[in-house]
Amino acid sequence: MYCRARFASRLASTTAAASFSPSACSRVSSPIASPSSASSVSFWNQRYRSLSFSSSLRSLRCSAPRLHWRSPESLRVLARTSVPVVEKFHRRIATTASEHPFKGVMTSLPKPGGGEFGKFYSLPALNDPRINRLPYSIRILLESAIRNCDNFQVTKDDVEKIIDWENTSPKQVEIPFKPARVLLQDFTGVPAVVDLASMRDAMKNLGNDPKKINPLVPVDLVIDHSVQVDVARSENAVQENMELEFKRNKERFAFLKWGSSAFHNMLVVPPGSGIVHQVNLEYLGRVVFNSDGMLYPDSVVGTDSHTTMIDGLGVAGWGVGGIEAEAAMLGQPMSMVLPGVVGFKLSGKLRDGVTATDLVLTVTQMLRKHGVVGKFVEFYGEGMGELSLADRATIANMSPEYGATMGFFPVDHVTLQYLKLTGRSDETVSMIEAYLRANKMFVDYNE
């Protein structure tokens, strides 16, 4: 009650303090003074007379019209009234963005034959010896914090927390994290697109441009949860099942097709292309983004717990709920506890007859026994070179089973070979390797 009374006094005019009655005081329990005494009333009156509005808050309160929340016309009036405030806010953000706190560490990445791949925020340019001791998975969080640092959503203090990971992670400190992209399957993707469409309707009703509503980060939506097997044991089974699938989901697929062309930053992978995690691994995983000449590591949050399969490719990713995914789509940073990292050393190679399933069940048993809930697991050691990327993806895919946020395999020569195998161009693979080496995120077991 004390807090509520104090908060209410800040939002009322200063004259309200003079009428603060003893009966109201009697509902406030405070060890400072007995509310029933005259001195107590005097104390409270003096206390609340000392509170005053700032000039900006007073002017905003006095100028704001009384609006009925259900009235569309009142919403339009509110939108028009808010325009100067919003424009001032945008100018502040634009000014902050133009004065990037870490612009001094931005470096160009040269091409071997001349020219440059693009620019990037260099971790070695910080000249901080603590960075060399950071796990590779934490370096991805650090790069994201540096790149998105605006002293508004992500601050320099957040960057310092990550750099000082050895001391801060045991304290369960929170940091903001902005993933490079969001991964959806159709069960959660359809509601997300519906929400975006509803926002566009609201913008139109307010007399503004509905095309301003778009995801602020790239969104990949893979339609893979609509498959039913009606026809089997025939040569045309696949074709007939696909025809039935399109017939059943005609309206939903038409809506998603509209969304793929209506919204910027949204890629919709059509039905029949494969399971979401397979498509993510073989096609959607960038490993390194090149966005208008800005290079940065790929990272992803997905609406499926087994999004962690992408960790086998050296892409930091894990599953989140639909609300968190939509917030990330709209540019909001995720608040997360700076995780501890458990290193898992691999040595030797699998004997003949030992499958990836045998390996992953053994790894899961060991990690469950150790306890890795809420932590990153990072694999390392000489045995990494003998482990195929398919086996790595299988182990990473089991992260929910052993309780870790993700099971991460840093990028090495095996990763680069897989990228070439799955159709990435030589120039893209060369850019990925050059960037990761320059930013101390590449593992070379020959060094």
Side-chain angles (χ1 to χ4, degrees):
M1 287 297 295
Y2 169 67
C3 294
R4 185 166 62 185
R6 184 174 61 182
F7 180 68
S9 71
R10 292 180 185 270
L11 296 183
S13 64
T14 53
T15 58
S19 61
F20 196 75
S21 65
S23 60
C25 286
S26 65
R27 294 193 300 270
V28 180
S29 59
S30 171
I32 298 177
S34 172
S36 59
S37 64
S39 60
S40 158
V41 176
S42 175
F43 167 79
W44 287 117
N45 286 338
Q46 292 175 9
R47 166 70 174 165
Y48 285 99
R49 284 195 188 100
S50 66
L51 298 174
S52 62
F53 279 107
S54 66
S55 58
S56 60
L57 184 56
R58 269 202 307 272
S59 63
L60 180 62
R61 182 175 180 271
C62 294
S63 63
R66 290 186 175 275
L67 304 173
H68 194 278
W69 72 276
R70 293 182 183 274
S71 167
E73 181 59 35
S74 110
L75 289 175
R76 294 189 187 98
V77 173
L78 179 60
R80 287 193 293 270
T81 307
S82 303
V83 165
V85 179
V86 173
E87 288 180 348
K88 182 179 179 181
F89 175 76
H90 284 170
R91 284 195 298 270
R92 178 186 171 191
I93 294 300
T95 303
T96 304
S98 63
E99 301 171 354
H100 197 287
F102 293 95
K103 61 182 180 181
V105 300
M106 183 177 284
T107 311
S108 63
L109 183 67
K111 288 184 178 180
E116 66 176 29
F117 288 112
K119 298 186 182 299
F120 68 100
Y121 288 97
S122 173
L123 301 186
L126 293 172
N127 292 322
D128 195 320
R130 293 175 295 177
I131 294 176
N132 294 328
R133 298 196 299 271
L134 292 179
Y136 290 93
S137 52
I138 300 298
R139 296 182 195 187
I140 293 178
L141 301 183
L142 174 60
E143 191 282 337
S144 174
I146 290 174
R147 176 167 37 88
N148 293 296
C149 184
D150 55 6
N151 281 327
F152 181 64
Q153 291 182 322
V154 183
T155 66
K156 293 181 73 174
D157 288 340
D158 296 321
V159 174
E160 174 59 27
K161 289 177 186 175
I162 303 175
I163 293 177
D164 198 31
W165 169 83
E166 286 183 311
N167 297 317
T168 54
S169 62
K171 300 176 183 177
Q172 299 286 294
V173 300
E174 289 192 12
I175 60 165
F177 173 61
K178 286 192 173 185
R181 60 188 174 96
V182 175
L183 180 69
L184 307 174
Q185 30 86 344
D186 47 345
F187 269 15
T188 50
V190 171
V193 180
V194 169
D195 288 345
L196 290 172
S198 300
M199 292 181 203
R200 285 199 168 187
D201 282 344
M203 286 286 282
K204 184 178 179 180
N205 293 336
L206 291 172
N208 213 319
D209 183 8
K211 292 184 179 180
K212 290 182 179 180
I213 300 296
N214 289 291
L216 292 182
V217 300
V219 177
D220 301 322
L221 195 162
V222 182
I223 303 173
D224 74 333
H225 279 57
S226 306
V227 180
Q228 286 182 222
V229 179
D230 295 276
V231 182
R233 302 179 67 183
S234 70
E235 294 181 359
N236 298 323
V238 174
Q239 182 65 27
E240 292 181 34
N241 283 318
M242 287 295 297
E243 290 175 359
L244 289 169
E245 181 180 347
F246 274 88
K247 186 177 180 180
R248 287 192 184 103
N249 300 283
K250 182 178 179 180
E251 291 184 0
R252 197 151 60 103
F253 289 172
F255 174 66
L256 290 174
K257 187 175 182 181
W258 165 82
S260 67
S261 57
F263 296 103
H264 299 298
N265 267 347
M266 177 172 285
L267 171 67
V268 178
V269 179
S273 302
I275 299 172
V276 57
H277 307 307
Q278 171 199 349
V279 175
N280 192 25
L281 197 68
E282 297 180 357
Y283 176 71
L284 298 175
R286 281 75 156 179
V287 184
V288 173
F289 266 88
N290 189 344
S291 180
D292 298 326
M294 175 61 69
L295 306 175
Y296 52 93
D298 188 5
S299 57
V300 59
V301 292
T303 53
D304 189 298
S305 60
H306 290 276
T307 302
T308 52
M309 180 182 278
I310 198 65
D311 300 333
L313 195 68
V315 176
W318 57 86
V320 295
I323 299 299
E324 293 91 340
E326 286 201 35
M329 284 168 51
L330 299 176
Q332 294 297 308
M334 298 172 50
S335 180
M336 60 180 291
V337 174
L338 185 60
V341 179
V342 175
F344 195 109
K345 186 175 183 179
L346 297 171
S347 59
K349 63 179 181 178
L350 297 178
R351 297 193 301 270
D352 293 340
V354 179
T355 67
T357 303
D358 299 321
L359 173 62
V360 74
L361 290 177
T362 303
V363 170
T364 300
Q365 183 183 29
M366 294 172 67
L367 289 173
R368 279 182 175 177
K369 184 177 180 180
H370 182 79
V372 292
V373 174
K375 298 180 180 179
F376 288 175
V377 175
E378 188 166 309
F379 295 88
Y380 71 103
E382 296 178 358
M384 289 275 287
E386 302 293 336
L387 200 61
S388 70
L389 199 126
D391 291 348
R392 296 181 183 189
T394 304
I395 296 173
N397 188 45
M398 290 288 281
S399 295
E401 310 306 325
Y402 46 80
T405 302
M406 67 175 183
F408 187 72
F409 291 81
V411 177
D412 59 8
H413 69 280
V414 175
T415 314
L416 300 180
Q417 290 172 1
Y418 181 82
L419 292 174
K420 293 178 180 179
L421 178 67
T422 49
R424 274 76 160 189
S425 67
D426 291 340
E427 182 178 2
T428 299
V429 176
S430 176
M431 179 267 293
I432 290 171
E433 182 178 6
Y435 168 80
L436 294 175
R437 285 185 180 275
N439 225 11
K440 303 296 184 184
M441 295 182 182
F442 186 84
V443 180
D444 191 336
Y445 298 105
N446 295 322
E447 294 179 355

